[in-house]
Amino acid sequence: MVLLPMLAAAQQIIVAPNGSDKNPGTAAQPKATLHAALRQARELRRLNDPAVAQGIHITLKGGVYPLKEPVFIRPEDAGTTASPLYIEAAAGEQPVLSGGIPVTGWKKLTTSLTGLPAVAKGKLWVTDAPVVGDAVIDFRQLYVNGSKAVRARDRNGDSMNRILFWDKVNEQCWIPTPKSPSLLNAAGLEMLIHQWWAIAVLRIKRVEVQGDSTRLSFYQPEGRVQSEHPWPAPWISKESGNSSFYLTNAIQLLDAPGEWFLDKQQRKLYYWPLPGEEMATAAVTVPYLENLLRIQGTAENPVAHVYVKDLAFQHSTWLRPSQQGHVPLQAGMFILDAYKLKVPGTSDKRGLENQAWIGRQPAAVQLGFVNHTSFTGCRFEQLGATGIDYVQGTYTDSITGCVFTNISGTAIQAGMFSEEAFETHLPYNPADERVLCRNLTIGNNLVQDVANEDWGCLGISAGYVQGIRIHHNELRELPYSGISVGWGWTKTINALRNNRIEQNYIHHYAKHMYDVSGVYTLSAQPGSSITGNRIDSIYKAPYAHIPTHWFYLYTDEGTAYYMVKDNWCPAEKFLQNANGPNNVWMNNGPQVADSIKQAAGLQAAWQHLVHRVKPVRSQQPINVAAMRKPYAGVEIVSPAGTALSTSSLQKLLKDHQLSEASYYQWKDHTVIFGAIQDPKELSKAVGAIFPGATVKVYDEPFYVYDRSKCADVTTATQWDHVLLTANLVADEQLQQEYLQYHATQFAKWPEVAKGFCNAQFQQLLLFRKEQQLLLVISIPKGASLDQLNPKTTENNPRVDQWNALMKKYQEGIPGTAPGEVWVFLQNGN
């Protein structure tokens, strides 16, 4: 008989709220804190104890673990392939790592309070503000029985006011005079302003009332940054209204149940309970720590093989807005410095006007220079700026089956966005790729009600990442976009590549912001794809700057080398803005197979997550996009000296269920245009019937105008189409300028669309294939373009300016006369 050696079991260290850090960490004598358990594990590894050969399990019993400082996992704590470090919940239990401080001692306010609105008198409860050392804890969130209370503000619910004017020179803002005159002396008063795709939080230094208008001055640095940075700027518009705002953080504004105010000078905290809340027994918590857990290594000595399972992270704070204001550029990345160039142009983009340098928000769980780490089945809730952030130097990590809810900013963030010393529009491509976030998998997570303070943050946000896979997540109830991947606004090849966004379910988003999409991308990303996602239910945001500027898919500046395929959404409302080369769009919209639609979102093993959070649903109406017909064109350029067989052309049209009048001709150019179900299949048939001909497919317009841009959105029941073609000039830089002008036309040249509305144009589609442009103008059936077109410039000189500006970008196709640019293709009917 041969005796086999016994395999060593993994070392287990038990932690319980009723334990003691002097205990050995056994089930009978558990540790009290994760700090102490990590120290014990570190010593076991240092001493090469044989007990850790199969790994170390730190098991936390259920309960709340208050943190006085962030838990810090260092390289010395790292596991190995053979001996990982597991930090996990005891079976069936829910341990909570909390950076919050309980607030007790509530009493009904019985004394008078200067500045308190009359409606609140007799309704408030008060307690001493929490203090650490000799300082009042500064906080921006207050949680009552697990729900976020509202910091006192002048407009309740989703209601906001409108600014009157922004004075960039003097760094001041004019607003309608507030109802409460005592705001003149309100210490700590703040302004939140809504501007395009971001908000800004500004600390108010001075309030000056001049009749029905009031001038606000701000503290620095945010006063300067807010007034100097060009994008996104305060919006001034007669059509859609000026930028909206609200004032917050003054006792004079505490006028509704569920609101609170911290008086730091008097060291008192006030709260107006909601119906049914009993303050004698309510669990009230204020967040104290910005980071709850940090896992941090170095490029040479990373932290590896750390696996976190079934823990909850609660009550992180977010302090920068209270200390320096908060003026984001995009995705919550705050501006350190920004200004408009007097002479446009950078080494990467000749026409760029905007310069900016950014900083990054803190995260409840923050990782840098790690590999082979995972978070599985965890909860991230009641948190500050960010839930979890794989910042830099990460490799082969995963976030799976987690719930993210009630977070002030982004739920999941990954990758460098730009170092503080690096201008953010320059392509980032470090020589040492170890600083990048590579091969991160984010799958089967539920994200709900995040970015509920910084409305410009995302559900999932990734900067310069490689090999990221974002799959089978469900994202819902979001103020802005769902998933964003990329940074830099550049078509130049950079660090981004091989990223996959697949089979996610994104719905009920854009509650507050526009310039929005379910999936959004930036910059060149070779080998990347957006496939099999389900996207629907975009809210009608009440203060959108351009109410029609919402999308299901949005490939923004520089996006290149992407495959966008088989994504289901209710309509083909997409935007491809100033994209780079080699993007392929195939089969996106309501025609996508139901099997693909149903496969998106949480997979079966993770469907239980939807029952782990209380559902939230706004009562806002949902946008309904007009079902745009899948208009497309297939061009046939005959070989020199030959003509197409009319009978063969008519048979082709009949075989593909197209009208015999669906073709248009100019010289040797024939374009089949209409509701073509499969343009690429039609092009193959054309090639077989007309060998030797050049065939081009126009199926993805880069510019779309429709009647939704008009005051009168009704459309004619039948349309005629007018087709024209021209070439872009050969200069690639001018081509990009042309595309950029059209991408921003509705925002910067709204008079052009107004002219189209006046002329009763039903739709304009502008396609591009290499240098050639195909313009389709749809007008009411039986109308004459010659009669309608002059109405575009009637009392509208900006259209003449636009037309004159466009001339430098266009030239005639081969065969046109000297000076001839746009040529009409005559209908074959």
Side-chain angles (χ1 to χ4, degrees):
M1 180 176 180
V2 178
L3 295 176
L4 297 176
M6 293 185 62
L7 295 176
Q11 175 69 38
Q12 188 171 47
I13 303 172
I14 306 297
V15 183
N18 61 352
S20 169
D21 284 345
K22 296 179 181 179
N23 287 342
T26 62
Q29 294 180 295
K31 296 282 188 187
T33 67
L34 180 54
H35 294 275
L38 284 167
R39 181 177 291 186
Q40 181 176 337
R42 188 180 309 134
E43 288 301 293
L44 291 170
R45 290 194 186 278
R46 183 179 67 85
L47 297 171
N48 295 316
D49 193 304
V52 305
Q54 300 297 310
I56 302 175
H57 288 256
I58 298 177
T59 302
L60 283 73
K61 304 288 284 183
V64 177
Y65 296 84
L67 302 177
K68 304 304 180 186
E69 60 181 327
V71 175
F72 196 159
I73 298 179
R74 302 171 171 84
E76 292 83 0
D77 304 317
T80 65
T81 304
S83 177
L85 172 64
Y86 300 92
I87 303 173
E88 58 199 2
E93 301 190 32
Q94 182 72 85
V96 177
L97 299 182
S98 172
I101 295 177
V103 180
T104 57
W106 291 93
K107 297 179 180 179
K108 192 77 176 285
L109 179 66
T110 56
T111 59
S112 60
L113 193 60
T114 302
L116 183 68
V119 68
K121 292 180 179 178
K123 309 290 179 57
L124 299 192
W125 287 66
V126 62
T127 190
D128 292 332
V131 173
V132 171
D134 192 37
V136 172
I137 295 175
D138 198 0
F139 55 91
R140 303 179 63 82
Q141 298 84 32
L142 178 77
Y143 299 98
V144 181
N145 296 329
S147 297
K148 181 182 288 185
V150 177
R151 207 172 183 214
R153 50 184 283 187
D154 65 333
R155 301 290 287 264
N156 299 323
D158 289 331
S159 175
M160 299 178 75
N161 212 329
R162 302 274 192 177
I163 69 170
L164 300 175
F165 176 68
W166 195 279
D167 182 352
K168 292 185 177 181
V169 174
N170 295 302
E171 302 174 1
Q172 296 170 327
C173 180
W174 287 89
I175 64 171
T177 294
K179 295 179 181 179
S180 175
S182 56
L183 280 178
L184 290 170
N185 303 312
L189 186 65
E190 293 180 359
M191 175 189 202
L192 181 144
I193 182 169
H194 177 298
Q195 39 199 23
W196 291 67
W197 55 85
I199 56 94
V201 178
L202 311 169
R203 298 170 300 156
I204 297 173
K205 182 178 182 179
R206 188 166 58 253
V207 179
E208 301 171 271
V209 176
Q210 296 189 15
D212 59 1
S213 302
T214 291
R215 178 167 56 196
L216 304 179
S217 302
F218 306 99
Y219 287 100
Q220 302 298 351
E222 65 265 37
R224 174 186 59 81
V225 171
Q226 167 69 4
S227 294
E228 286 188 346
H229 84 285
W231 296 99
W235 180 257
I236 304 295
S237 170
K238 292 181 180 179
E239 289 75 22
S240 58
N242 298 346
S243 275
S244 57
F245 76 95
Y246 64 76
L247 303 178
T248 184
N249 197 38
I251 193 66
Q252 294 88 341
L253 308 178
L254 207 168
D255 61 356
E259 291 190 340
W260 62 274
F261 172 69
L262 171 65
D263 187 336
K264 289 188 283 188
Q265 294 177 337
Q266 300 300 318
R267 298 191 170 194
K268 295 293 182 182
L269 175 60
Y270 301 95
Y271 178 64
W272 183 344
L274 291 168
E277 288 180 340
E278 298 291 339
M279 297 310 295
T281 57
V284 182
T285 307
V286 300
Y288 174 54
L289 299 177
E290 289 196 313
N291 300 127
L292 306 182
L293 171 63
R294 290 184 61 206
I295 305 180
Q296 182 68 47
T298 67
E300 288 71 30
N301 196 10
V303 178
H305 299 285
V306 176
Y307 306 119
V308 181
K309 185 178 180 183
D310 295 336
L311 301 190
F313 299 91
Q314 294 182 353
H315 307 133
S316 62
T317 191
W318 176 41
L319 295 177
R320 179 182 172 85
S322 297
Q323 298 166 350
Q324 300 182 65
H326 180 62
V327 185
L329 176 69
Q330 189 166 307
M333 300 294 159
F334 55 82
I335 297 173
L336 300 169
D337 194 13
Y339 55 88
K340 186 174 182 178
L341 295 170
K342 293 181 180 179
V343 179
T346 68
S347 58
D348 186 62
K349 298 178 75 171
R350 193 168 77 180
L352 184 69
E353 296 179 322
N354 186 10
Q355 296 279 274
W357 293 261
I358 61 168
R360 189 185 192 108
Q361 322 91 311
V365 176
Q366 192 164 299
L367 303 98
F369 292 103
V370 303
N371 65 73
H372 297 89
T373 66
S374 69
F375 287 79
T376 306
C378 295
R379 295 178 65 93
F380 297 80
E381 52 197 356
Q382 301 170 38
L383 300 175
T386 307
I388 185 170
D389 193 353
Y390 277 82
V391 180
Q392 64 173 343
T394 69
Y395 181 75
T396 312
D397 305 284
S398 65
I399 306 168
T400 306
C402 297
V403 171
F404 296 82
T405 186
N406 201 351
I407 299 174
S408 301
T410 295
I412 303 171
Q413 191 162 273
M416 292 297 297
F417 283 76
S418 285
E419 295 174 347
E420 291 188 0
F422 191 84
E423 203 285 313
T424 200
H425 298 93
L426 294 175
Y428 182 67
N429 204 7
D432 186 353
E433 290 196 343
R434 291 181 300 173
V435 303
L436 297 173
C437 175
R438 296 172 291 159
N439 298 351
L440 172 64
T441 299
I442 303 171
N444 283 294
N445 301 285
L446 176 62
V447 177
Q448 172 184 286
D449 185 30
V450 302
N452 56 27
E453 288 186 44
D454 187 344
W455 297 339
C457 287
L458 287 304
I460 300 174
S461 179
Y464 288 98
V465 291
Q466 293 182 356
I468 197 169
R469 184 184 180 214
I470 304 171
H471 73 100
H472 286 106
N473 302 282
E474 181 172 347
L475 300 95
R476 64 194 192 192
E477 299 303 326
L478 307 173
Y480 182 42
S481 293
I483 297 172
S484 174
V485 176
W487 198 251
W489 295 266
T490 177
K491 65 180 180 179
T492 302
I493 298 297
N494 57 79
L496 284 155
R497 62 180 60 94
N498 301 328
N499 300 313
R500 292 182 290 163
I501 307 166
E502 52 195 21
Q503 296 183 284
N504 301 282
Y505 179 25
I506 306 162
H507 60 106
H508 293 90
Y509 62 100
K511 292 173 71 172
H512 298 296
M513 317 302 287
Y514 270 18
D515 198 44
V516 66
S517 183
V519 176
Y520 172 91
T521 62
L522 277 171
S523 297
Q525 303 185 37
S528 297
S529 60
I530 303 169
T531 57
N533 298 283
R534 176 183 178 183
I535 307 169
D536 61 41
S537 302
I538 305 178
Y539 284 121
K540 289 186 176 180
Y543 296 98
H545 298 80
I546 305 176
T548 59
H549 209 65
W550 53 269
F551 308 98
Y552 297 110
L553 298 169
Y554 186 169
T555 52
D556 204 358
E557 290 192 51
T559 297
Y561 310 101
Y562 251 101
M563 168 65 76
V564 186
K565 182 180 178 181
D566 294 338
N567 298 285
W568 185 92
C569 48
E572 296 176 34
K573 198 165 193 309
F574 311 136
L575 182 60
Q576 301 165 60
N577 177 34
N579 286 182
N582 297 103
N583 292 319
V584 177
W585 289 67
M586 297 175 61
N587 192 41
N588 301 290
Q591 75 279 7
V592 171
D594 192 61
S595 58
I596 295 175
K597 174 183 176 181
Q598 297 303 323
L602 298 170
Q603 293 177 293
W606 300 103
Q607 280 289 331
H608 66 276
L609 295 181
V610 300
H611 305 297
R612 296 186 63 188
V613 293
K614 182 180 179 180
V616 175
R617 184 70 77 237
S618 171
Q619 299 304 308
Q620 292 172 230
I622 300 295
N623 277 294
V624 178
M627 294 293 289
R628 180 173 65 83
K629 295 180 180 179
Y631 286 123
V634 174
E635 182 180 22
I636 311 162
V637 184
S638 308
T642 65
L644 296 182
S645 165
T646 302
S647 60
S648 296
L649 182 60
Q650 295 287 6
K651 184 178 185 303
L652 177 73
L653 296 173
K654 184 177 180 180
D655 290 345
H656 287 265
Q657 300 179 332
L658 294 167
S659 165
E660 292 184 357
S662 297
Y663 71 96
Y664 303 75
Q665 292 180 316
W666 178 82
K667 293 188 177 181
D668 58 348
H669 293 257
T670 300
V671 175
I672 301 170
F673 180 81
I676 303 171
Q677 295 303 317
D678 192 338
K680 292 181 174 58
E681 187 65 28
L682 177 60
S683 71
K684 292 178 183 178
V686 168
I689 296 172
F690 303 112
T694 300
V695 183
K696 298 181 181 179
V697 176
Y698 301 88
D699 60 348
E700 291 293 345
F702 66 87
Y703 172 84
V704 178
Y705 152 88
D706 57 36
R707 298 293 296 176
S708 68
K709 312 294 188 300
C710 307
D712 177 8
V713 297
T714 57
T715 58
T717 55
Q718 292 183 297
W719 300 355
D720 284 331
H721 305 298
V722 181
L723 274 64
L724 304 92
T725 188
N727 266 356
L728 285 172
V729 295
D731 187 300
E732 187 176 343
Q733 181 63 43
L734 291 178
Q735 292 177 15
Q736 292 302 315
E737 288 181 16
Y738 182 83
L739 296 175
Q740 180 65 17
Y741 269 114
H742 282 81
T744 59
Q745 185 205 78
F746 298 124
K748 296 185 177 180
W749 293 78
E751 299 86 354
V752 177
K754 183 178 179 182
F756 297 158
C757 294
N758 291 342
Q760 289 298 303
F761 291 174
Q762 303 298 293
Q763 181 174 263
L764 266 79
L765 304 176
L766 192 51
F767 302 83
R768 176 196 181 198
K769 182 62 63 174
E770 298 169 344
Q771 273 187 252
Q772 190 172 348
L773 300 171
L774 178 66
L775 172 62
V776 181
I777 305 174
S778 301
I779 59 178
K781 191 170 184 64
S784 165
L785 182 64
D786 288 340
Q787 293 177 348
L788 296 179
N789 197 48
K791 295 182 180 181
T792 62
T793 57
E794 198 172 90
N795 300 317
N796 197 350
R798 282 274 281 176
V799 177
D800 286 325
Q801 295 173 26
W802 171 268
N803 292 335
L805 179 62
M806 291 300 104
K807 287 181 179 179
K808 78 172 185 176
Y809 301 104
Q810 303 159 350
E811 61 186 19
I813 65 173
T816 54
E820 187 178 21
V821 180
W822 287 99
V823 294
F824 286 83
L825 293 106
Q826 299 300 319
N827 186 252
N829 186 12

